[in-house]
Amino acid sequence: MKYIIDLTVRSVENLSPKHVLIKLTDHQPLPEMLPGQFVEVRVDGSPATFLRRPISIHFVDKVHNELWLMVAMIGDGTRQMGRLQAGDTLNCVLPLGNAFTMPAAKDEKVLLVGGGVGVAPMLYLGSALHAQGIQPTFLLGGRTAQDLLELDIFNRYGRVCVTTEDGSLGEKGFVTNHSVLNEHFDRICTCGPTPMMKAVAHYAKEHDITCEVSLENLMACGLGACLCCVEKTTEGNLCVCKEGPVFNIHRLLW
């Protein structure tokens, strides 16, 4: 079931010069949300922003009844979101889309690969795996050390490996260059820039590893009505917001 809710901003934390962490709450328990799903946010106070903005569900803190959103301030809408203050209201449609597939066996070795703001859904997924008794490995990539956010929180739920393009933190290069890929994994989940996800998908196919990707196509409505997020798949053109955003790589024409 989908809900349209006015959520209250509990806090806004600057994670970097271009990223904020927005924690939202409500007077009643938040709806059930799954790792991989997203919300569509209405941006008020921005004349240039007419459409809602899709934001990945970064984390759900059930103890404090909080929904966390990691927002990269790259346009008028997201910059306006970065100006929110505690006590403000944010109108959200949630939860939208499908979720990552949870492993059936507790002994599966799971690799979670995130790049850029694509690290956001990996935290909630990692926490869900941890709660299920699985210790995931996070592989997080950024251009510089400044782009790698909340590593201490990721460490609570699994092993964290990092890469930076300039070598300022972790191993130098892209995520697909990291030495952890020499280990055996049963499942890979990834989100980030399309070239990165395609490279991860290629690696998974080469090694016959189950792999799901969370696509970041432009999504205006979140309901499959506007058709601006269409992706070509083995089943024809599908709306990422409705049929995804999570896809098994064998459904994609990659």
Side-chain angles (χ1 to χ4, degrees), residues 57-238:
I57 293 172
H58 181 39
F59 190 72
V60 178
D61 184 340
K62 295 182 180 179
V63 174
H64 298 97
N65 198 41
E66 291 178 344
L67 164 63
W68 295 12
L69 302 179
M70 179 190 286
V71 179
M73 298 178 290
I74 55 176
D76 290 337
T78 48
R79 283 195 294 269
Q80 185 67 25
M81 290 178 65
R83 299 187 187 103
L84 290 167
Q85 298 181 0
D88 287 344
T89 297
L90 195 63
N91 184 269
C92 299
V93 183
L94 76 163
L96 296 171
N98 64 352
F100 287 104
T101 303
M102 298 300 288
K106 290 186 177 181
D107 60 350
E108 277 200 27
K109 291 199 65 178
V110 184
L111 179 65
L112 309 182
V113 185
V117 78
V119 303
M122 296 296 107
L123 181 62
Y124 190 29
L125 176 57
S127 70
L129 290 167
H130 185 269
Q132 191 172 299
I134 295 173
Q135 174 103 346
T137 296
F138 296 100
L139 177 53
L140 310 177
R143 292 181 179 176
T144 70
Q146 192 177 49
D147 297 319
L148 294 169
L149 310 171
E150 300 182 315
L151 296 184
D152 57 331
I153 302 179
F154 280 97
N155 264 306
R156 298 174 190 172
Y157 302 108
R159 176 176 55 146
V160 176
C161 304
V162 300
T163 66
T164 49
E165 293 179 28
D166 65 356
S168 54
L169 186 64
E171 296 187 15
K172 185 176 182 179
F174 303 112
V175 291
T176 47
N177 304 132
H178 199 284
S179 59
V180 75
L181 294 179
N182 294 322
E183 300 179 16
H184 166 75
F185 291 98
D186 301 298
R187 180 183 301 271
I188 299 176
C189 300
T190 184
C191 183
T194 298
M196 183 207 81
M197 289 194 292
K198 286 185 175 181
V200 172
H202 178 72
Y203 168 86
K205 287 180 179 178
E206 274 193 333
H207 294 81
D208 195 26
I209 301 172
T210 298
C211 182
E212 290 182 331
V213 301
S214 178
L215 301 186
E216 295 186 318
N217 297 32
L218 179 65
M219 293 181 278
C221 73
L223 302 170
C226 66
L227 303 181
C228 70
C229 65
V230 167
E231 177 79 16
K232 293 181 179 179
T233 75
T234 57
E235 303 157 38
N237 292 338
L238 297 178

Side-chain angles (χ1 to χ4, degrees), residues 4-42:
I4 303 177
I5 309 175
D6 283 327
L7 297 178
T8 301
V9 177
R10 179 162 285 173
S11 66
V12 180
E13 176 186 348
N14 291 309
L15 299 177
S16 79
K18 61 181 180 180
H19 295 89
V20 292
L21 173 64
I22 302 173
K23 295 183 180 180
L24 304 167
T25 190
D26 196 21
H27 63 277
Q28 59 186 2
L30 293 168
E32 182 70 20
M33 291 172 271
L34 301 175
Q37 292 185 306
F38 67 99
V39 305
E40 284 277 358
V41 175
R42 189 183 72 205

